[in-house]
Amino acid sequence: MNALSINNLNLTYPNGFQAVKDISLEITNGMFGLLGPNGAGKSSLMKTIVGLQKPTSGTLFFNEVDLIKNPDYIKKNLGFLPQDFGVYPKISAYDLLEHIAILKGITNASQRKDQIRSLLDKVNLSGFAKKEVHTFSGGMKQRFGVAQALLGNPKIIIADEPTAGLDPEERNRFNTLLSEISRDVIVILSTHLVEDVRNLCSEMAVINNGQILRKGNPGKLITELEQKIWSKSIDKQELENYSSRYEIISRQLVERALHITVFSEETLQDFTPVNPLLEHVYFHSLTQTP
């Protein structure tokens, strides 16, 4: 069992901007969802975990090794799956994986060959080993990304917005693959997509402005909102009045009518009760930002 322990972590940049504010998390094998809007601090936290920047204060331990004193330890055990690799060189999937494997320190040629073939099979790309990666579809590129992230048998994988731009079928296939991988390693899914966290993660945290606003099991967090979420259709002109009287967590146009969703621990007679969803947990958490 792998364990990442983050305690009272802070990161302030030289210009005085505090990107990470007193974050504490305990993460073990499985998929952990880090959910937050763009600019919430997800990337700053990930870069600090993997040793690309040193925290201002706090502690970071992975499998009881102090990562601030030994940043190379996590790099040896890390697989990284970025949102977009950018421009691929015009070489085959197999050759690119071999190049990445050498960079990761897999020096034994027969071990490299066995691992690359096994990973291509695992991500269902064996039939495309000789095909140039830049010609792959979006879903195939992401599955290739999983293969390169798994080279060297990492113990922790960080996936940054991995399903952005995938169609629903590719996304489901990709999510199934991530779920299978997370049985034996830690997978941190950094995303702004509530649906991916709901489908995949047994533990999650909501982050905004560098702070953890809520954390726990998605199902339990949803249960905490039972009988506290209410909805109503209103005229657009009434929005300011309702905003001053109620805690509106979201609003959307449905068939040109404005629907507001409100958090309230008291029964609201002229509203319709709503069964809570993870998106309500997310939106309600964001309203709690200090």
Side-chain angles (χ1 to χ4, degrees), residues 107-206:
T107 54
N108 185 292
S110 63
Q111 281 184 359
R112 270 201 315 272
K113 184 178 179 180
D114 289 345
Q115 194 170 140
I116 290 169
R117 284 183 170 177
S118 173
L119 287 173
L120 284 171
D121 184 58
K122 187 167 192 169
V123 301
N124 201 25
L125 288 175
S126 292
F128 303 92
K130 294 181 180 180
K131 189 176 173 72
E132 293 181 356
V133 181
H134 74 93
T135 67
F136 284 3
S137 69
M140 290 168 70
K141 284 179 179 175
Q142 285 300 70
R143 282 184 279 137
F144 175 85
V146 171
Q148 67 79 27
L150 289 174
L151 282 168
N153 299 312
K155 296 175 181 175
I156 180 169
I157 293 171
I158 291 177
D160 182 18
E161 302 281 2
T163 63
L166 299 188
D167 67 39
E169 186 179 350
E170 288 176 328
R171 195 166 157 195
N172 287 338
R173 190 185 299 127
F174 178 77
N175 284 344
T176 300
L177 178 61
L178 273 188
S179 183
E180 290 170 0
I181 291 164
S182 68
R183 294 173 188 168
D184 305 313
V185 302
I186 292 173
V187 177
I188 299 178
L189 180 66
S190 175
T191 184
H192 69 281
L193 298 173
V194 176
E195 187 179 345
D196 284 351
V197 174
R198 183 179 67 233
N199 293 342
L200 295 170
C201 302
S202 54
E203 292 292 321
M204 63 169 283
V206 178

Side-chain angles (χ1 to χ4, degrees), residues 31-277:
M31 289 202 66
F32 183 92
L34 186 65
L35 186 60
N38 293 330
K42 301 189 297 294
S43 294
S44 293
L45 178 59
M46 296 300 102
K47 287 177 183 176
T48 308
I49 290 171
V50 304
L52 292 176
Q53 51 197 14
K54 202 168 185 178
T56 310
S57 62
T59 61
L60 270 170
F61 285 85
F62 183 60
N63 293 346
E64 300 184 354
V65 175
D66 187 333
L67 297 181
I68 297 172
K69 293 180 180 177
N70 304 282
D72 286 344
Y73 178 75
I74 196 163
K75 291 173 186 174
K76 291 175 184 174
N77 291 286
L78 175 71
F80 182 59
L81 181 59
Q83 179 178 344
D84 186 5
F85 284 89
V87 180
Y88 283 92
K90 292 187 176 182
I91 61 174
S92 71
Y94 185 96
D95 289 345
L96 186 51
L97 285 176
E98 182 163 57
H99 175 69
I100 295 169
I102 292 169
L103 292 177
K104 284 193 172 187
I106 307 171
T107 54
N108 185 292
S110 63
Q111 281 184 359
R112 270 201 315 272
K113 184 178 179 180
D114 289 345
Q115 194 170 140
I116 290 169
R117 284 183 170 177
S118 173
L119 287 173
L120 284 171
D121 184 58
K122 187 167 192 169
V123 301
N124 201 25
L125 288 175
S126 292
F128 303 92
K130 294 181 180 180
K131 189 176 173 72
E132 293 181 356
V133 181
H134 74 93
T135 67
F136 284 3
S137 69
M140 290 168 70
K141 284 179 179 175
Q142 285 300 70
R143 282 184 279 137
F144 175 85
V146 171
Q148 67 79 27
L150 289 174
L151 282 168
N153 299 312
K155 296 175 181 175
I156 180 169
I157 293 171
I158 291 177
D160 182 18
E161 302 281 2
T163 63
L166 299 188
D167 67 39
E169 186 179 350
E170 288 176 328
R171 195 166 157 195
N172 287 338
R173 190 185 299 127
F174 178 77
N175 284 344
T176 300
L177 178 61
L178 273 188
S179 183
E180 290 170 0
I181 291 164
S182 68
R183 294 173 188 168
D184 305 313
V185 302
I186 292 173
V187 177
I188 299 178
L189 180 66
S190 175
T191 184
H192 69 281
L193 298 173
V194 176
E195 187 179 345
D196 284 351
V197 174
R198 183 179 67 233
N199 293 342
L200 295 170
C201 302
S202 54
E203 292 292 321
M204 63 169 283
V206 178
I207 184 172
N208 199 23
N209 295 334
Q211 294 175 278
I212 299 297
L213 305 177
R214 192 151 297 164
K215 57 187 175 181
N217 172 269
K220 290 181 180 177
L221 294 175
I222 291 170
T223 300
E224 289 174 7
L225 290 186
E226 284 184 358
Q227 299 179 328
K228 297 176 183 177
I229 303 297
W230 310 84
S231 178
K232 187 178 183 181
S233 174
I234 65 170
D235 291 327
K236 293 177 186 178
Q237 294 85 354
E238 297 177 295
L239 180 59
E240 188 174 337
N241 179 36
Y242 275 91
S243 296
S244 65
R245 294 165 57 201
Y246 300 102
E247 185 181 326
I248 297 176
I249 61 173
S250 68
R251 53 196 176 190
Q252 64 182 136
L253 283 171
V254 180
E255 295 179 358
R256 301 178 73 177
L258 180 62
H259 287 254
I260 58 171
T261 303
V262 168
F263 171 86
S264 173
E265 296 188 17
E266 298 176 0
T267 300
L268 300 180
Q269 298 292 350
D270 54 343
F271 284 73
T272 302
V274 176
N275 288 328
L277 303 169

